[in-house]
Amino acid sequence: MAGGPVCLGHNATTPVDTRVTAAVSPPDHPGNPSSSHSYGRQPRAALEQACAQVATLIGTRPYEIVFTASGSEADLLVLRGGALASGRPRPHVITQATEHPAVIRTCHVLERLHGARITVLPVGGDGLVDPAALATALDEDAVLVSGCCWALWS
């Protein structure tokens, strides 16, 4: 390519908008919002306001909003939280072979440490999961489907 390669995968390296940074971490109050001391008060108020704004935007309650430091952290939180909170003695998690390593590795940890049953569905040459394969994999112990749902609507 003339001029060198072009990276189109900007997700993990997208810079945070300066307005977002200013809103959640005012420069004159750099404390941790989880701190109980005075340095955490203003950052905590800014975080609570951000949660309220996002909740209003998507029609939920502020306490249901969780900000994470990365997509990998969010993947782990959803997978472990969903599987372990299900109350099933052997929760079944279904994913696809092309999922992000953060998802696949978390599934393996759930299997090894918590006895979860993991089904990794293959994808076809078009990169899609066969909806019939997903339907077959679904059972009464299935508590979470990761990355496969979009194939149903393609």
Side-chain angles (χ1 to χ4, degrees), residues 130-144:
D130 178 5
L134 175 57
T136 300
L138 289 170
D139 61 18
E140 65 183 30
D141 288 322
V143 298
L144 195 124

Side-chain angles (χ1 to χ4, degrees), residues 18-107:
T18 56
R19 294 169 294 179
V20 172
T21 303
V24 298
S25 182
D28 54 334
H29 293 87
N32 182 332
S34 298
S35 299
S36 59
H37 52 68
S38 63
Y39 294 109
R41 285 190 195 119
Q42 188 157 351
R44 182 173 32 260
L47 182 60
E48 288 171 358
Q49 181 181 356
C51 287
Q53 290 171 327
V54 171
T56 298
L57 181 69
I58 65 172
T60 190
R61 292 169 288 234
Y63 68 84
E64 294 178 303
I65 303 299
V66 177
F67 294 112
T68 62
S70 68
S72 294
E73 181 184 5
D75 290 340
L76 183 136
L77 180 64
V78 167
L79 290 163
R80 287 196 72 189
L84 299 179
S86 72
R88 300 249 182 218
R90 193 153 187 245
H92 182 196
V93 176
I94 303 167
T95 190
Q96 64 187 30
T98 55
E99 253 299 5
H100 190 278
V103 171
I104 298 295
R105 290 179 185 143
T106 299
C107 286

